[in-house]
């Protein structure tokens, strides 16, 4: 099946004329932000020990990311921290996906499952993630397990709830259409139900990914030796506010990057993800 | 009464054609929340012969969609049986295909992929499947639109796709629930002609639900007139107009008037 001149493609060509605006627009707010920050720092409206100068932040970031290990407290630690944090996030997030999507889809389609799960899940959802922290520390100690537990727990809810809503909203007429064309239940789940619920599932995954990073930092604040959250906490105790700011900016960038990566991965893997957005 | 006229009919369905679909004493009650149940269909029996075009005409709420859903196997009757070539049917299958009123195409598939959907698991080699898809694309006049997505085409075109994706499965019976009701008058006429052309080519048995008396008289060999409370067949009207039928002919108009008068008598 060749895909020739579909209108999709034509639109894409037209869009590139306004491309420069589209490419610039996402950076307008960060750019303005940095500009204001710069002005505040230059005029010393806020003292530097509360808000470091962007130049200093840039220098600190360069040392943290590219510096040789040993040349100062944080020099060259970035890669190790990044690996440690990413590993924890991926592990926790994957756990949330593996449990959240099947349970969500089942609960969206089967009244029995939804009845069984709803009370429990909505009660648990009302508990702020941070209140699990002390319990997790008692259960799992400080380190990988606690962080992964917190990330998985936090990411589970948006993933589950959106998969459930998506599966529930799939029009019965689509499933009937499948049934009359000879599609039985199991194949219908993969050929019709999941593709039709895909936009919701993707929303859940993206929300879950975002919240994963939030809870990663929470888990790492408890005193693990490495990771971006650990660096931030460490810097607070040493009064290195520049490192805190660098940590925040890096997490923001990584979070955005993960979101884009996740979206891209889904679009590569699923026809419906490519086409229903 | 007009035997010579039958010569003009390209596809005369002889009264002796074998029964394809037989509906025996079908009833349907829906349990309502709380208070008891509501009887929608009561004791319906009729037989559709091979190649027959039956229009089901009736007021809103008299159970036409319910009947079609039972025939399709989407819902179970409260009592009675549906037989296809003598075999009782109870669940949906590609031998009884439905063309829905609302758009029921898969929005993440192109027109071509939608038409190919039902063939996927059929034991048929790739090249053959591909040529079948192209054949049905062209039969419904959508050759140039194979790569479009459902949201990129008009309502009439969507119904063409809906028809093509079931015809390709070679169903015994085609069940159509007000398939053209949402279209404008001109498009509806085009679609009626298309359906008649395809019907003459493939000779399916068709059950066609409609609100539109003119549409019923144009299409039907037989009109089953439904009544409400509870739903049942009030009249079984034979339409023996020759085909092709023209809406501006006197014979057509006479037949239309006759049908109208039967309806108004109810
Ligand atoms: N699942 C259901 N539960 C309860 N009542 C139902 C259900 N489905 C249909 N009904 C009732 O059955 C009656 C017939 O419905 P149906 O949709 O078959 O009518 P219809 O003849 O197709 O009407 P229309 O011409 O408006 O499409 C209606 O009064 C409706 O309220
Ligand atoms: Mg109806």
């Amino acid at each position: 099946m060749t895909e020739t001149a579909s209108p999709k493609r034509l639109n894409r060509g037209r869009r590139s004329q306004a491309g420069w605006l589209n490419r610039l627009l996402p950076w307008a707010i960060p750019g303005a932000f940095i500009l204001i920050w710069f002005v505040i720092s230059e005029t010393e409206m806020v003292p530097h020990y509360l808000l470091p100068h962007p130049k200093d932040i840039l220098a600190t970031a360069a040392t943290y990311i590219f510096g040789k290990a040993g040349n100062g407290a944080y020099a060259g630690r970035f890669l190790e921290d990044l690996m440690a944090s990413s590993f924890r996030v991926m592990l926790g997030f994957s756990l949330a996906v593996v449990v959240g999507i099947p349970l969500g889809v089942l609960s969206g389609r089967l009244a029995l499952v939804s009845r069984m799960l709803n009370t429990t899940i909505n009660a648990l959802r009302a508990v702020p993630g941070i209140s699990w922290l002390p319990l997790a520390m008692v259960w799992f100690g400080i380190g990988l397990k606690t962080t992964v537990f917190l990330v998985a727990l936090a990411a589970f809810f948006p993933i589950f709830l959106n998969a459930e809503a998506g599966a529930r909203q799939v029009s019965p007429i689509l499933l009937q259409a499948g049934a009359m064309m000879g599609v039985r239940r199991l194949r219908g789940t993969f050929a019709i139900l999941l593709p039709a619920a895909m936009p919701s599932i993707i929303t859940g995954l993206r929300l879950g990914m975002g919240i994963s990073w939030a809870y990663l930092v929470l888990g790492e604040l408890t005193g693990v030796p490495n990771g971006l959250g650990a660096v931030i906490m460490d810097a607070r105790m040493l009064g290195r506010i520049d490192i805190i700011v660098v940590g925040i900016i890096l997490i923001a960038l990584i979070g955005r990057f993960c979101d884009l990566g996740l979206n891209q991965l889904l679009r590569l893997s699923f026809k419906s993800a490519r086409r229903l957005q | 009464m007009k035997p010579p006229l039958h010569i003009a009919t390209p596809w005369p369905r002889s009264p002796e054609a074998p029964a394809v679909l037989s509906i025996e004493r079908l009833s349907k009650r829906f349990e309502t929340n709380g208070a008891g149940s509501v009887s929608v269909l009561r004791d319906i029996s009729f037989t559709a012969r091979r190649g027959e075009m039956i229009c089901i005409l009736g007021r809103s709420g008299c159970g036409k969609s319910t009947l079609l859903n039972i025939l399709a196997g989407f819902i179970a009757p409260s009592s009675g049986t549906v037989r296809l070539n003598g075999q009782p049917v109870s669940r949906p299958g590609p031998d009884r295909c439905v063309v829905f009123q609302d758009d029921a195409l898969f929005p993440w598939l192109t027109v071509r992929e939608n038409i190919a959907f039902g063939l996927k698991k059929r034991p048929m080699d790739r090249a053959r499947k591909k040529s079948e898809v192209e054949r049905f694309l062209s039969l419904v006049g959508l050759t140039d639109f194979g790569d479009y997505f459902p949201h990129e085409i008009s309502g009439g075109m969507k119904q063409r796709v809906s028809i093509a994706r079931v015809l390709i499965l070679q169903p015994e019976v085609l069940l159509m629930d007000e398939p053209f009701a949402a279209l404008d008058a001109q498009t509806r006429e085009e679609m009626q002609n298309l359906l008649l052309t395809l019907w003459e080519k493939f000779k399916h048995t068709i059950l066609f639900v409609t609100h539109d008396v003119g549409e019923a008289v144009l299409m039907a060999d037989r009109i089953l007139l439904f009544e409400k409370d509870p739903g049942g067949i009030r009249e079984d009207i034979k339409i023996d107009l020759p085909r092709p039928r023209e809406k501006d002919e006197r014979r057509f108009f006479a037949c239309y008037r006759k049908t109208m008068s039967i309806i108004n008598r109810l």
Side-chain angles (χ1 to χ4, degrees):
Chain A
M1 314 217 164
T2 51
E3 291 180 43
T4 45
S6 84
K8 277 261 154 68
R9 234 134 296 229
L10 297 176
N11 281 340
R12 207 164 292 152
R14 211 173 304 139
R15 214 178 297 146
S16 73
Q17 284 172 2
W20 62 271
L21 182 65
N22 274 338
R23 217 154 311 145
L24 233 53
L25 219 48
W27 300 105
I29 292 175
F33 197 72
I34 290 171
L35 198 70
I36 293 170
W37 180 11
F38 197 86
V39 171
I40 289 175
S41 298
E42 281 290 312
T43 56
E44 301 203 27
M45 280 159 70
V46 177
H48 283 172
Y49 69 87
L50 287 183
L51 183 65
H53 195 286
K55 279 191 310 204
D56 299 335
I57 293 297
L58 217 58
T60 305
T63 317
Y64 177 54
I65 298 172
F66 303 111
K68 244 214 191 92
N71 286 0
Y74 296 98
R77 270 189 57 179
F78 174 66
L79 200 65
E80 190 200 327
D81 288 334
L82 176 69
M83 301 289 249
S85 289
S86 305
F87 179 65
R88 291 168 191 149
V89 164
M90 289 313 150
L91 209 57
F93 180 73
S94 308
L95 269 175
V97 170
V98 165
V99 181
I101 290 184
L103 269 189
V105 170
L106 281 176
S107 169
R109 296 310 305 182
L110 305 174
L112 212 67
V113 177
S114 128
R115 244 191 116 61
M116 187 173 80
L117 292 180
N118 252 328
T119 307
T120 314
I121 282 181
N122 281 310
L124 286 180
R125 195 160 66 94
V127 181
I130 198 165
S131 30
W132 291 101
L133 184 61
L135 190 61
M137 284 168 69
V138 174
W139 283 350
F140 303 119
I142 287 167
L144 179 70
K145 281 194 253 171
T146 294
T147 315
V148 169
F149 171 76
L150 286 176
V151 168
L153 190 70
F156 171 78
F157 292 107
I159 293 175
F160 170 87
L161 291 170
N162 281 285
E164 183 188 41
R168 180 167 296 148
Q169 280 158 18
V170 171
S171 157
I173 226 176
L174 291 186
L175 299 169
Q176 289 179 340
M180 84 180 179
M181 289 189 280
V183 175
R184 292 265 169 272
R185 201 144 187 182
L186 185 65
R187 192 161 86 81
T189 304
F190 290 98
I192 300 170
L193 188 59
L194 287 180
M198 189 56 78
S200 264
I201 292 175
I202 290 176
T203 304
L205 290 175
R206 292 177 71 177
L207 288 171
M209 178 59 93
I211 209 165
S212 288
W213 281 95
Y215 278 81
L216 168 89
V217 173
L218 182 66
E220 287 182 346
L221 288 182
T222 56
V224 291
N226 52 15
L228 293 160
V231 164
I232 291 177
M233 201 55 186
D234 201 41
R236 188 196 70 84
M237 289 198 281
L238 296 179
R240 288 288 302 272
I241 193 159
D242 54 335
I243 285 286
I244 299 180
V245 175
V246 167
I248 289 173
I249 294 175
L250 284 175
I251 289 173
L253 288 175
I254 295 166
R256 179 77 185 111
F257 186 77
C258 276
D259 185 46
L260 287 175
L262 177 70
N263 216 16
Q264 217 50 39
L265 183 72
L266 288 164
R267 291 171 70 90
L268 274 177
S269 322
F270 301 103
K271 201 184 264 177
S272 53
R274 272 196 298 287
R275 294 172 171 182
L276 286 185
Q277 274 188 323
Chain B
M1 256 186 262
K2 307 168 197 154
L5 289 177
H6 278 290
I7 297 160
T9 312
W11 164 232
R13 282 137 302 275
S14 67
E16 302 82 37
V20 172
L21 195 65
S22 39
I23 285 92
E24 296 154 16
R25 312 211 54 183
L26 204 66
S27 296
K28 179 68 189 175
R29 308 176 67 79
F30 283 112
E31 304 302 322
T32 46
N33 291 339
S37 62
V38 52
S39 180
V40 175
L41 297 173
R42 182 175 294 171
D43 214 11
I44 290 187
S45 302
F46 68 91
T47 302
R49 300 188 173 279
R50 185 171 303 280
E52 205 171 22
M53 169 91 77
I54 299 180
C55 281
I56 296 172
L57 199 59
R59 301 260 301 275
S60 191
C62 65
K64 307 182 296 293
S65 297
T66 305
L67 173 66
L68 242 59
N69 282 331
I70 293 172
L71 299 186
F74 297 149
I75 57 178
S78 305
S79 64
T81 35
V82 177
R83 287 176 199 280
L84 186 74
N85 295 323
Q87 299 298 315
V89 295
S90 57
R91 57 180 187 184
D95 45 7
R96 286 151 291 129
C97 277
V98 183
V99 175
F100 299 91
Q101 172 177 353
D102 302 313
D103 167 26
L105 300 174
F106 302 125
W108 60 92
L109 298 181
T110 60
V111 164
R112 185 177 276 116
E113 290 165 346
N114 264 292
I115 295 176
F117 186 89
L119 282 188
K120 225 174 256 172
K121 292 282 142 133
R122 296 246 164 143
M124 196 189 278
D125 64 76
R126 256 163 184 270
R128 175 79 199 294
K129 281 183 188 173
K130 215 172 156 174
S131 75
E132 279 292 282
V133 171
E134 295 307 317
R135 181 162 80 98
F136 279 88
L137 258 177
S138 87
L139 274 174
V140 295
L142 289 178
T143 308
D144 295 336
F145 294 90
D147 295 319
Y148 281 59
F149 287 98
H151 69 90
E152 295 169 338
I153 59 177
S154 70
M157 288 156 98
K158 283 184 199 174
Q159 285 309 58
R160 286 169 191 256
V161 182
S162 300
I163 291 172
R165 77 165 173 187
V166 298
L167 287 190
I168 201 171
L169 302 177
Q170 302 175 312
E172 288 277 349
V173 179
L174 212 52
L175 305 168
M176 310 182 86
D177 193 355
E178 302 187 43
F180 310 143
L183 306 177
D184 64 87
Q186 217 174 334
T187 312
R188 189 180 317 150
E189 203 158 312
E190 266 173 42
M191 293 301 294
Q192 289 162 352
N193 289 332
L194 174 70
L195 182 64
L196 287 171
T197 312
L198 291 170
W199 174 58
E200 265 159 30
K201 185 173 173 66
F202 292 105
K203 305 173 172 52
H204 300 105
T205 311
I206 300 183
L207 261 67
F208 188 104
V209 170
T210 178
H211 273 128
D212 180 346
V213 181
E215 186 170 63
V217 174
L218 182 74
M219 316 273 286
D221 295 318
R222 258 165 87 195
I223 296 177
L224 299 182
L225 204 54
F226 269 54
E227 65 182 350
K228 213 178 160 178
D229 289 329
I233 298 171
R234 178 61 180 261
E235 295 278 351
D236 187 340
I237 308 167
K238 200 163 183 61
I239 306 292
D240 50 4
L241 279 178
R243 297 174 191 270
R245 297 172 182 168
E246 296 292 339
K247 273 189 167 171
D248 45 14
E249 274 180 353
R250 189 178 303 137
R251 281 181 308 204
F252 180 89
F253 196 61
C255 192
Y256 177 83
R257 290 274 295 275
K258 202 180 85 189
T259 312
M260 267 319 237
S261 73
I262 297 174
I263 292 171
N264 289 332
R265 240 192 294 139
L266 296 186

